[in-house]
């Protein structure tokens, strides 16, 4: 019941966000009935359906080829939706400022266009001054001047003509021409309204910023993880183990998007560091051995003096944990299922992920650490950082974890902080140090923003050295 309510809330939120994005990118910038509006409206319905298909196809047992077809557009759209929405929200701050600036500019231009120099009657009245044309024949009617006995000029002209000898022809008069109406300027194409202009500018800038962010984040994932190096001093580590190097890799997430080539890049990067030991700290896969077994095969090429070790993450329990444990063992990795091995100078322990509790295979710290010599340093592999308090209780010196992806998509790191004691990096809890890797892959969208993927070489340091 609770999951159903959460699902309904999530769907309602996604619907509201898609409506907002459609209005700002399509409704506010295109004409009703236009091709662009129709295309944008279709996309607003199709893209979220692809996202839902990408998230559910693996869980419902859809064919792997269909999972691959849905994964790229469906998951990428989720990342695009996040950053397009964030960019539009920033645009909401810019929009009224831009409208105000344009309104003031237009008002200033209108004032400059109507202003005229003072003292010019013609310009003041707004009508042009008529200039007499002396070359045009006079056609005025005879007008008597009343009691003064003075005749008007037109009358004098008529009398002169009548006194002249010979037949007199009345001068041909031109019809009075009406003032010519001003020729209207050719109609210009209407400019977009100020609001439409601002909507297009803000929408275009938001689209450019959002899509560029997703593009760069995708490139970072497909390029492969970088190598980070840290030194961790351990009080109980003997001098002989000083400088021991552990290559920590987590959250590889082999799946419909990140396949065999992704695994090969990670293996090559790890081998280039020449580690003494490789620790694969969970969430190796997102799918079944039948679909992804071949994509994991490059793990067999891992090279380390003291071997490669593996513990389960929560995603293994969505993908058939027992089958994957058997498969990684076949590839030469050593699964630590609530178990411990003695390495040169320290104990290496591993516990199952807490997601295994649903299958009766959860973490068992007593079994992994209960009967060990506490005079020796202990390094624990545990997928989720939240078990750090159990590690402190059992005298662990260093816990190696993943799970958080460092937040993967900013501002996801703030949400990750709410659920995990440490999101990324090295922190101390009592006498126990916790190192959390950001991971080498990506879950869902193959995109990372503000949390680049990495493989970390942890060099152990002895206080006695």
């Amino acid at each position: 019941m609770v999951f159903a309510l959460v699902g309904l809330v999530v769907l309602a939120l996604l619907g509201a966000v898609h409506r907002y994005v459609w209005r700002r990118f399509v409704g506010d910038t295109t004409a009703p009935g236009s091709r662009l509006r129709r295309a944008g409206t279709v996309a607003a319905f199709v893209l979220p359906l692809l996202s839902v298909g990408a998230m559910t196809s693996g869980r419902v047992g859809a064919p792997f080829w269909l999972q691959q077809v849905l994964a790229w557009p469906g998951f990428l759209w989720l990342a695009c939706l996040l950053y397009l929405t964030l960019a539009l929200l920033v645009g909401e701050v810019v929009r009224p400022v831009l409208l105000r600036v344009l309104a003031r500019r237009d008002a200033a231009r209108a004032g400059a266009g109507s202003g005229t120099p003072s003292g010019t009657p013609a310009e003041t009245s707004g009508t042009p001054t008529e200039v007499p044309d002396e070359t045009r024949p006079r056609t005025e009617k005879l007008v008597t001047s009343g009691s003064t006995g003075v005749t008007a000029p037109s009358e004098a002209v008529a009398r002169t003509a009548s006194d002249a000898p010979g037949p007199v022809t009345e001068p041909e008069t031109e019809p009075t021409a009406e003032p010519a109406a001003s020729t209207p300027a050719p109609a210009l194409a209407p400019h977009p309204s100020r609001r439409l202009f601002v909507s297009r500018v803000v929408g275009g800038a938001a689209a450019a910023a959002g899509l560029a962010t997703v593009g760069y984040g995708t490139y970072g994932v497909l390029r492969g993880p970088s190598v980070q190096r840290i030194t961790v001093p351990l009080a109980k580590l003997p001098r002989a183990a000083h400088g021991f190097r552990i290559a920590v890799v987590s959250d590889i997430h082999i799946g419909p998007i990140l396949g065999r080539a992704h695994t090969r890049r990670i293996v090559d990067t790890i081998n280039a560091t020449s580690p003494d030991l490789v620790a694969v700290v969970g969430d190796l896969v997102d799918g079944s051995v039948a679909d992804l077994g071949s994509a994991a095969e490059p793990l067999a090429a891992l090279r380390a003096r003291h071997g490669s070790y593996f513990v389960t993450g929560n995603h293994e329990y969505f993908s058939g944990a027992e089958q994957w444990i058997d498969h990684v063992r076949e590839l030469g990795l050593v699964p630590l299922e609530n178990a411990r091995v003695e390495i040169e100078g320290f104990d290496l322990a591993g516990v199952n992920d807490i997601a295994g509790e649903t299958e009766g295979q959860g973490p068992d710290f007593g079994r992994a650490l209960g009967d060990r010599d506490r005079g020796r340093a202990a390094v624990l592999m545990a997928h989720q950082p939240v078990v750090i308090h159990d590690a402190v209780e059992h005298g662990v010196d260093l816990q190696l974890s993943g799970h958080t992806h460092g937040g993967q998509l900013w501002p996801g790191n703030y949400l990750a902080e709410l659920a995990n004691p440490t999101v990324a990096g090295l922190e101390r809890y009592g006498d126990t140090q916790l190192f959390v890797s950001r991971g080498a892959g990506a879950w869902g969208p193959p995109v990372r923003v503000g949390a680049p993927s990495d493989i970390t070489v942890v060099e152990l340091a002895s206080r006695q050295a």
Side-chain angles (χ1 to χ4, degrees):
M1 183 64 179
V2 174
F3 289 107
L5 290 176
V6 171
L8 288 175
V9 170
V10 171
L11 288 176
L13 180 61
L14 284 175
V17 171
H18 278 88
R19 169 66 181 172
Y20 168 70
V21 170
W22 177 90
R23 183 166 66 88
R24 285 306 192 202
F25 280 125
V26 180
D28 291 350
T29 62
T30 60
S34 65
R35 291 183 179 179
L36 285 176
R37 176 164 292 195
R38 288 197 294 267
T41 303
V42 169
F45 282 96
V46 172
L47 289 172
L49 292 178
L50 289 174
S51 297
V52 172
M55 290 186 290
T56 59
S57 58
R59 302 290 179 89
V60 300
F64 189 65
W65 66 265
L66 180 58
Q67 296 179 41
Q68 292 177 303
V69 168
L70 294 173
W72 269 107
F75 282 126
L76 271 180
W77 170 242
L78 290 178
C80 290
L81 180 65
L82 171 62
Y83 290 106
L84 290 175
T85 302
L86 291 175
L88 285 174
L89 291 176
V90 174
E92 298 298 341
V93 178
V94 177
R95 185 184 304 271
V97 176
L98 190 55
L99 283 170
R100 190 174 297 112
V101 169
L102 292 178
R104 289 179 178 175
R105 186 199 66 178
D106 292 346
R109 286 181 177 178
S114 61
T116 57
S118 59
T120 309
E123 292 183 6
T124 303
S125 64
T127 59
T129 304
E130 297 237 325
V131 180
D133 188 354
E134 298 296 337
T135 64
R136 215 167 93 179
R138 298 288 187 95
T139 59
E140 291 89 343
K141 293 182 180 178
L142 295 178
V143 180
T144 58
S145 57
S147 58
T148 60
V150 180
T151 58
S154 57
E155 182 179 354
V157 173
R159 287 179 180 175
T160 304
S162 63
D163 293 333
V168 178
T169 305
E170 184 91 14
E172 187 175 339
T173 62
E174 294 181 3
T176 304
E178 295 292 331
S182 59
T183 305
L188 298 176
H191 292 288
S193 69
R194 188 182 306 138
R195 187 171 298 277
L196 178 60
F197 172 75
V198 169
S199 294
R200 288 177 174 174
V201 168
V202 173
L211 296 178
T213 300
V214 173
Y216 182 76
T218 304
Y219 168 74
V221 171
L222 298 182
R223 179 185 55 191
S226 60
V227 176
Q228 308 294 322
R229 298 176 185 272
I230 63 170
T231 299
V232 181
L234 299 180
K236 301 175 186 176
L237 191 71
R239 184 193 300 265
H242 179 75
F244 192 97
R245 288 171 293 113
I246 304 174
V248 180
V249 59
S250 74
D251 302 279
I252 297 174
H253 286 288
I254 304 169
I257 294 178
L258 302 175
R260 187 184 181 95
H262 172 65
T263 311
R264 169 56 62 189
R265 281 192 296 269
I266 290 172
V267 169
D268 291 344
T269 302
I270 292 173
N271 287 344
T273 68
S274 301
D276 296 308
L277 183 147
V278 177
V280 182
V281 197
D283 277 8
L284 172 65
V285 292
D286 284 310
S288 67
V289 172
D291 292 332
L292 298 173
S294 61
E297 287 176 357
L299 293 172
L302 285 170
R303 296 289 179 263
R305 186 161 58 99
H306 290 276
S308 300
Y309 294 84
F310 168 78
V311 294
T312 56
N314 54 311
H315 282 248
E316 272 71 60
Y317 293 98
F318 306 148
S319 308
E322 291 186 8
Q323 291 83 1
W324 274 112
I325 289 170
D326 291 339
H327 190 62
V328 298
R329 186 180 287 112
E330 293 171 359
L331 296 176
L333 282 75
V334 179
L336 291 176
E337 301 179 80
N338 297 320
R340 181 181 76 254
V341 294
E342 290 187 2
I343 304 295
E344 180 182 308
F346 64 94
D347 293 336
L348 178 69
V351 292
N352 296 343
D353 185 72
I354 56 178
E357 292 175 349
T358 59
E359 302 179 14
Q361 299 176 7
D364 187 338
F365 288 87
R367 179 180 167 190
L369 297 161
D371 58 349
R372 73 179 193 86
D373 178 5
R374 290 210 174 192
R376 287 170 56 87
V379 176
L380 173 68
M381 295 170 57
H383 178 63
Q384 298 197 38
V386 292
V387 301
I388 182 60
H389 302 295
D390 294 289
V392 172
E393 181 181 343
H394 286 82
V396 170
D397 296 278
L398 173 63
Q399 175 178 320
L400 304 175
S401 296
H403 183 65
T404 68
H405 296 210
Q408 184 168 329
L409 297 171
W410 183 92
N413 54 304
Y414 297 111
L415 295 177
E417 287 176 359
L418 299 176
N420 297 276
T422 298
V423 173
L426 183 67
E427 291 187 355
R428 177 177 289 276
Y429 294 84
D431 292 331
T432 303
Q433 297 180 79
L434 169 63
F435 174 74
V436 180
S437 169
R438 289 193 297 253
W443 179 77
V447 183
R448 281 178 172 264
V449 177
S453 58
D454 64 36
I455 293 166
T456 303
V457 177
V458 177
E459 184 172 333
L460 305 182
S462 171
R463 297 281 178 87
Q464 304 169 19

